[in-house]
């Protein structure tokens, strides 16, 4: 299968997940770029941030049109993660490829297990500022370090810590992902290696179109079903990456 077709297929899958779930799709971007498209781990994490930022911004617009973005809450949450995203992205450039791959596989496995857990009931709208800041800092660090948007962490935090409804959490997480990804990209400017724009451009284009389809898909299939299917795929990807590190 040609590189272009692989990029288009991978981009579509990631866009569908981001549009439907408000996160999770970006976790597949890095392994897709490494194992399907031949990027180095360092280049893959930078390229993934570019793709995730563009796709999340597009999906954010779609959710904002339906009034499903809590702008003030999302801005405060994202602001807490800007500095950690920047610092973690700068630090990641100095780590060996095996360390990045191993850390990524662990995060991917944890994300999949989190998706397989039953959804918690939505709490009352009482915001706990300290926990909100802590969640924002942690999310920013993960985004910068591993080149993932962190929506799989943002959505549960927005529901459990900040008391948003699930639909609002999905839309608001896209704002957080976009801001954190741009902050991490700023730190990685000029250090991303060979970014191969002939691959990144079609990948990102397919992901953007997929995000619109994901938004429509979410209205036809339950979020729980989508999460379970995606989580199984993600566990398999994490297992492959761990084997690649230790074998």
């Amino acid at each position: 299968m040609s590189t272009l077709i692989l990029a288009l297929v991978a981009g579509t899958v990631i866009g569908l997940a981001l549009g439907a779930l408000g996160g999770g799709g970006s976790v597949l971007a890095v392994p897709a770029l490494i194992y399907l498209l031949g990027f180095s781990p360092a280049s893959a994490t930078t390229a993934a941030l570019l793709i995730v930022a563009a796709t999340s911004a597009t999906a954010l617009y779609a959710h904002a049109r339906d009034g499903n973005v809590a702008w003030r809450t999302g801005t405060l949450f994202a602001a807490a993660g800007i500095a950690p995203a920047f610092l973690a992205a700068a630090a990641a450039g100095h780590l060996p490829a095996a360390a990045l791959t191993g850390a990524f596989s662990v995060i991917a496995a944890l994300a999949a297990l989190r998706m397989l857990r039953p959804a918690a009931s939505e709490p009352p709208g009482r915001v706990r500022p300290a926990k909100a800041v802590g969640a924002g800092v942690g999310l920013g660090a993960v985004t910068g370090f591993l080149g993932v948007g962190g929506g799989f962490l943002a959505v549960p935090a927005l529901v459990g810590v900040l008391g948003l409804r699930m639909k609002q959490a999905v839309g608001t997480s896209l704002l957080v992902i976009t801001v954190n990804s741009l902050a991490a990209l700023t730190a990685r400017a000029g250090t991303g290696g060979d970014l191969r724009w002939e691959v990144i451009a079609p990948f990102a284009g397919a992901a953007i179109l997929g995000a619109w389809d994901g938004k429509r898909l979410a209205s036809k299939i339950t979020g729980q079903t989508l999460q379970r299917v995606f989580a199984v795929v993600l566990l398999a990807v994490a297992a492959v990456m761990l084997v690649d590190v230790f074998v």
Side-chain angles (χ1 to χ4, degrees), residues 59-69 71 171 215:
L60 171 63
Y61 173 74
H63 282 268
R65 289 196 315 169
D66 294 340
N68 288 329
V69 179
W71 291 100
K215 174 68 169 54

Side-chain angles (χ1 to χ4, degrees), residues 73-75 77-78 139 149 154 158 171-181:
T73 299
T75 300
F77 193 96
L139 183 66
L158 288 165
T172 305
S173 75
L174 292 164
L175 170 61
V176 178
I177 292 167
T178 302
V179 172
N180 284 346
S181 297

Side-chain angles (χ1 to χ4, degrees), residues 60-109:
L60 171 63
Y61 173 74
H63 282 268
R65 289 196 315 169
D66 294 340
N68 288 329
V69 179
W71 291 100
R72 183 177 179 182
T73 299
T75 300
L76 291 172
F77 193 96
I82 291 175
F86 185 93
L87 294 173
H94 301 289
L95 292 176
L100 282 175
T101 303
F104 188 93
S105 62
V106 171
I107 291 293

